[in-house]
PDB file of all heavy atoms in Angstrom:
ATOM      1  N   PHE V 286       5.743   1.878 -24.170  1.00 96.00           N
ATOM      2  CA  PHE V 286       6.360   1.574 -22.888  1.00 96.00           C
ATOM      3  C   PHE V 286       5.382   0.892 -21.937  1.00 96.00           C
ATOM      4  O   PHE V 286       5.522  -0.282 -21.616  1.00 96.00           O
ATOM      5  CB  PHE V 286       6.944   2.844 -22.249  1.00 96.00           C
ATOM      6  CG  PHE V 286       7.636   2.594 -20.920  1.00 96.00           C
ATOM      7  CD1 PHE V 286       8.787   1.832 -20.858  1.00 96.00           C
ATOM      8  CD2 PHE V 286       7.131   3.122 -19.745  1.00 96.00           C
ATOM      9  CE1 PHE V 286       9.429   1.596 -19.637  1.00 96.00           C
ATOM     10  CE2 PHE V 286       7.754   2.899 -18.520  1.00 96.00           C
ATOM     11  CZ  PHE V 286       8.902   2.130 -18.477  1.00 96.00           C
ATOM     12  N   PHE V 287       4.332   1.593 -21.478  1.00 98.00           N
ATOM     13  CA  PHE V 287       3.460   1.070 -20.421  1.00 98.00           C
ATOM     14  C   PHE V 287       2.648  -0.150 -20.858  1.00 98.00           C
ATOM     15  O   PHE V 287       2.305  -0.993 -20.031  1.00 98.00           O
ATOM     16  CB  PHE V 287       2.508   2.164 -19.932  1.00 98.00           C
ATOM     17  CG  PHE V 287       3.185   3.338 -19.321  1.00 98.00           C
ATOM     18  CD1 PHE V 287       3.310   4.532 -20.020  1.00 98.00           C
ATOM     19  CD2 PHE V 287       3.721   3.273 -18.044  1.00 98.00           C
ATOM     20  CE1 PHE V 287       3.924   5.629 -19.455  1.00 98.00           C
ATOM     21  CE2 PHE V 287       4.352   4.359 -17.471  1.00 98.00           C
ATOM     22  CZ  PHE V 287       4.454   5.542 -18.177  1.00 98.00           C
ATOM     23  N   TRP V 288       2.297  -0.229 -22.126  1.00 98.00           N
ATOM     24  CA  TRP V 288       1.441  -1.314 -22.597  1.00 98.00           C
ATOM     25  C   TRP V 288       2.225  -2.341 -23.418  1.00 98.00           C
ATOM     26  O   TRP V 288       1.632  -3.240 -24.030  1.00 98.00           O
ATOM     27  CB  TRP V 288       0.286  -0.749 -23.432  1.00 98.00           C
ATOM     28  CG  TRP V 288      -0.690   0.055 -22.632  1.00 98.00           C
ATOM     29  CD1 TRP V 288      -0.508   1.306 -22.115  1.00 98.00           C
ATOM     30  CD2 TRP V 288      -2.009  -0.346 -22.246  1.00 98.00           C
ATOM     31  NE1 TRP V 288      -1.626   1.713 -21.432  1.00 98.00           N
ATOM     32  CE2 TRP V 288      -2.557   0.732 -21.490  1.00 98.00           C
ATOM     33  CE3 TRP V 288      -2.782  -1.493 -22.467  1.00 98.00           C
ATOM     34  CZ2 TRP V 288      -3.855   0.680 -20.962  1.00 98.00           C
ATOM     35  CZ3 TRP V 288      -4.068  -1.531 -21.943  1.00 98.00           C
ATOM     36  CH2 TRP V 288      -4.590  -0.472 -21.196  1.00 98.00           C
ATOM     37  N   GLU V 289       3.536  -2.231 -23.400  1.00 97.00           N
ATOM     38  CA  GLU V 289       4.356  -3.152 -24.202  1.00 97.00           C
ATOM     39  C   GLU V 289       4.740  -4.401 -23.410  1.00 97.00           C
ATOM     40  O   GLU V 289       5.020  -4.326 -22.203  1.00 97.00           O
ATOM     41  CB  GLU V 289       5.627  -2.437 -24.669  1.00 97.00           C
ATOM     42  CG  GLU V 289       5.358  -1.303 -25.653  1.00 97.00           C
ATOM     43  CD  GLU V 289       6.617  -0.521 -25.996  1.00 97.00           C
ATOM     44  OE1 GLU V 289       7.649  -0.732 -25.301  1.00 97.00           O
ATOM     45  OE2 GLU V 289       6.569   0.302 -26.926  1.00 97.00           O
ATOM     46  N   GLY V 290       4.744  -5.552 -24.079  1.00 97.00           N
ATOM     47  CA  GLY V 290       5.251  -6.789 -23.494  1.00 97.00           C
ATOM     48  C   GLY V 290       4.414  -7.364 -22.379  1.00 97.00           C
ATOM     49  O   GLY V 290       4.923  -8.110 -21.536  1.00 97.00           O
ATOM     50  N   LEU V 291       3.117  -7.067 -22.348  1.00 98.00           N
ATOM     51  CA  LEU V 291       2.270  -7.497 -21.251  1.00 98.00           C
ATOM     52  C   LEU V 291       1.865  -8.966 -21.366  1.00 98.00           C
ATOM     53  O   LEU V 291       1.710  -9.504 -22.467  1.00 98.00           O
ATOM     54  CB  LEU V 291       0.991  -6.645 -21.207  1.00 98.00           C
ATOM     55  CG  LEU V 291       1.145  -5.134 -21.061  1.00 98.00           C
ATOM     56  CD1 LEU V 291      -0.222  -4.467 -21.135  1.00 98.00           C
ATOM     57  CD2 LEU V 291       1.840  -4.791 -19.751  1.00 98.00           C
ATOM     58  N   ASP V 292       1.675  -9.589 -20.228  1.00 98.00           N
ATOM     59  CA  ASP V 292       1.011 -10.883 -20.177  1.00 98.00           C
ATOM     60  C   ASP V 292      -0.367 -10.741 -20.830  1.00 98.00           C
ATOM     61  O   ASP V 292      -1.037  -9.708 -20.690  1.00 98.00           O
ATOM     62  CB  ASP V 292       0.880 -11.323 -18.721  1.00 98.00           C
ATOM     63  CG  ASP V 292       0.022 -12.549 -18.541  1.00 98.00           C
ATOM     64  OD1 ASP V 292       0.559 -13.661 -18.640  1.00 98.00           O
ATOM     65  OD2 ASP V 292      -1.196 -12.377 -18.285  1.00 98.00           O
ATOM     66  N   ALA V 293      -0.820 -11.776 -21.527  1.00 97.00           N
ATOM     67  CA  ALA V 293      -2.073 -11.691 -22.279  1.00 97.00           C
ATOM     68  C   ALA V 293      -3.263 -11.380 -21.381  1.00 97.00           C
ATOM     69  O   ALA V 293      -4.161 -10.609 -21.752  1.00 97.00           O
ATOM     70  CB  ALA V 293      -2.315 -12.998 -23.032  1.00 97.00           C
ATOM     71  N   GLU V 294      -3.302 -11.953 -20.176  1.00 98.00           N
ATOM     72  CA  GLU V 294      -4.418 -11.703 -19.270  1.00 98.00           C
ATOM     73  C   GLU V 294      -4.391 -10.278 -18.719  1.00 98.00           C
ATOM     74  O   GLU V 294      -5.432  -9.642 -18.555  1.00 98.00           O
ATOM     75  CB  GLU V 294      -4.405 -12.715 -18.119  1.00 98.00           C
ATOM     76  CG  GLU V 294      -4.974 -14.057 -18.478  1.00 98.00           C
ATOM     77  CD  GLU V 294      -6.486 -13.967 -18.707  1.00 98.00           C
ATOM     78  OE1 GLU V 294      -7.250 -14.028 -17.734  1.00 98.00           O
ATOM     79  OE2 GLU V 294      -6.895 -13.816 -19.875  1.00 98.00           O
ATOM     80  N   VAL V 295      -3.217  -9.778 -18.439  1.00 98.00           N
ATOM     81  CA  VAL V 295      -3.101  -8.392 -17.977  1.00 98.00           C
ATOM     82  C   VAL V 295      -3.587  -7.442 -19.058  1.00 98.00           C
ATOM     83  O   VAL V 295      -4.366  -6.510 -18.795  1.00 98.00           O
ATOM     84  CB  VAL V 295      -1.647  -8.071 -17.581  1.00 98.00           C
ATOM     85  CG1 VAL V 295      -1.481  -6.580 -17.304  1.00 98.00           C
ATOM     86  CG2 VAL V 295      -1.234  -8.886 -16.365  1.00 98.00           C
ATOM     87  N   GLU V 296      -3.161  -7.673 -20.284  1.00 98.00           N
ATOM     88  CA  GLU V 296      -3.583  -6.812 -21.387  1.00 98.00           C
ATOM     89  C   GLU V 296      -5.092  -6.894 -21.604  1.00 98.00           C
ATOM     90  O   GLU V 296      -5.757  -5.877 -21.833  1.00 98.00           O
ATOM     91  CB  GLU V 296      -2.844  -7.196 -22.665  1.00 98.00           C
ATOM     92  CG  GLU V 296      -3.144  -6.275 -23.832  1.00 98.00           C
ATOM     93  CD  GLU V 296      -2.252  -6.533 -25.023  1.00 98.00           C
ATOM     94  OE1 GLU V 296      -1.604  -7.595 -25.066  1.00 98.00           O
ATOM     95  OE2 GLU V 296      -2.198  -5.668 -25.921  1.00 98.00           O
ATOM     96  N   ARG V 297      -5.644  -8.092 -21.520  1.00 98.00           N
ATOM     97  CA  ARG V 297      -7.089  -8.262 -21.715  1.00 98.00           C
ATOM     98  C   ARG V 297      -7.888  -7.485 -20.671  1.00 98.00           C
ATOM     99  O   ARG V 297      -8.824  -6.752 -21.008  1.00 98.00           O
ATOM    100  CB  ARG V 297      -7.462  -9.743 -21.657  1.00 98.00           C
ATOM    101  CG  ARG V 297      -8.968 -10.013 -21.776  1.00 98.00           C
ATOM    102  CD  ARG V 297      -9.293 -11.480 -21.624  1.00 98.00           C
ATOM    103  NE  ARG V 297      -9.073 -11.977 -20.273  1.00 98.00           N
ATOM    104  CZ  ARG V 297      -9.919 -11.821 -19.267  1.00 98.00           C
ATOM    105  NH1 ARG V 297     -11.049 -11.139 -19.438  1.00 98.00           N
ATOM    106  NH2 ARG V 297      -9.649 -12.312 -18.068  1.00 98.00           N
ATOM    107  N   LEU V 298      -7.511  -7.642 -19.406  1.00 98.00           N
ATOM    108  CA  LEU V 298      -8.255  -6.983 -18.347  1.00 98.00           C
ATOM    109  C   LEU V 298      -8.101  -5.461 -18.401  1.00 98.00           C
ATOM    110  O   LEU V 298      -9.065  -4.721 -18.170  1.00 98.00           O
ATOM    111  CB  LEU V 298      -7.796  -7.508 -16.994  1.00 98.00           C
ATOM    112  CG  LEU V 298      -8.262  -8.922 -16.643  1.00 98.00           C
ATOM    113  CD1 LEU V 298      -7.492  -9.451 -15.437  1.00 98.00           C
ATOM    114  CD2 LEU V 298      -9.756  -8.953 -16.370  1.00 98.00           C
ATOM    115  N   ALA V 299      -6.903  -4.981 -18.702  1.00 98.00           N
ATOM    116  CA  ALA V 299      -6.691  -3.538 -18.787  1.00 98.00           C
ATOM    117  C   ALA V 299      -7.456  -2.944 -19.971  1.00 98.00           C
ATOM    118  O   ALA V 299      -8.053  -1.858 -19.862  1.00 98.00           O
ATOM    119  CB  ALA V 299      -5.202  -3.238 -18.913  1.00 98.00           C
ATOM    120  N   THR V 300      -7.454  -3.634 -21.082  1.00 98.00           N
ATOM    121  CA  THR V 300      -8.182  -3.167 -22.262  1.00 98.00           C
ATOM    122  C   THR V 300      -9.684  -3.154 -22.007  1.00 98.00           C
ATOM    123  O   THR V 300     -10.389  -2.207 -22.392  1.00 98.00           O
ATOM    124  CB  THR V 300      -7.855  -4.057 -23.474  1.00 98.00           C
ATOM    125  OG1 THR V 300      -6.451  -4.003 -23.732  1.00 98.00           O
ATOM    126  CG2 THR V 300      -8.609  -3.605 -24.711  1.00 98.00           C
ATOM    127  N   GLU V 301     -10.172  -4.191 -21.348  1.00 98.00           N
ATOM    128  CA  GLU V 301     -11.593  -4.249 -21.026  1.00 98.00           C
ATOM    129  C   GLU V 301     -11.973  -3.136 -20.049  1.00 98.00           C
ATOM    130  O   GLU V 301     -13.056  -2.539 -20.153  1.00 98.00           O
ATOM    131  CB  GLU V 301     -11.932  -5.612 -20.426  1.00 98.00           C
ATOM    132  CG  GLU V 301     -13.341  -5.762 -19.889  1.00 98.00           C
ATOM    133  CD  GLU V 301     -14.441  -5.562 -20.925  1.00 98.00           C
ATOM    134  OE1 GLU V 301     -14.139  -5.580 -22.144  1.00 98.00           O
ATOM    135  OE2 GLU V 301     -15.600  -5.370 -20.515  1.00 98.00           O
ATOM    136  N   ALA V 302     -11.103  -2.833 -19.114  1.00 98.00           N
ATOM    137  CA  ALA V 302     -11.372  -1.746 -18.176  1.00 98.00           C
ATOM    138  C   ALA V 302     -11.489  -0.421 -18.913  1.00 98.00           C
ATOM    139  O   ALA V 302     -12.403   0.381 -18.633  1.00 98.00           O
ATOM    140  CB  ALA V 302     -10.266  -1.678 -17.124  1.00 98.00           C
ATOM    141  N   LEU V 303     -10.603  -0.169 -19.858  1.00 97.00           N
ATOM    142  CA  LEU V 303     -10.685   1.061 -20.655  1.00 97.00           C
ATOM    143  C   LEU V 303     -11.993   1.124 -21.438  1.00 97.00           C
ATOM    144  O   LEU V 303     -12.633   2.172 -21.534  1.00 97.00           O
ATOM    145  CB  LEU V 303      -9.503   1.139 -21.616  1.00 97.00           C
ATOM    146  CG  LEU V 303      -8.235   1.832 -21.139  1.00 97.00           C
ATOM    147  CD1 LEU V 303      -7.193   1.840 -22.241  1.00 97.00           C
ATOM    148  CD2 LEU V 303      -8.520   3.256 -20.683  1.00 97.00           C
TER     149      LEU V 303
END
Side-chain angles (χ1 to χ4, degrees):
F286 181 66
F287 298 104
W288 292 73
E289 294 174 349
L291 302 176
D292 171 87
E294 280 291 276
V295 171
E296 185 171 15
R297 177 184 69 81
L298 287 167
T300 300
E301 173 60 15
L303 270 182

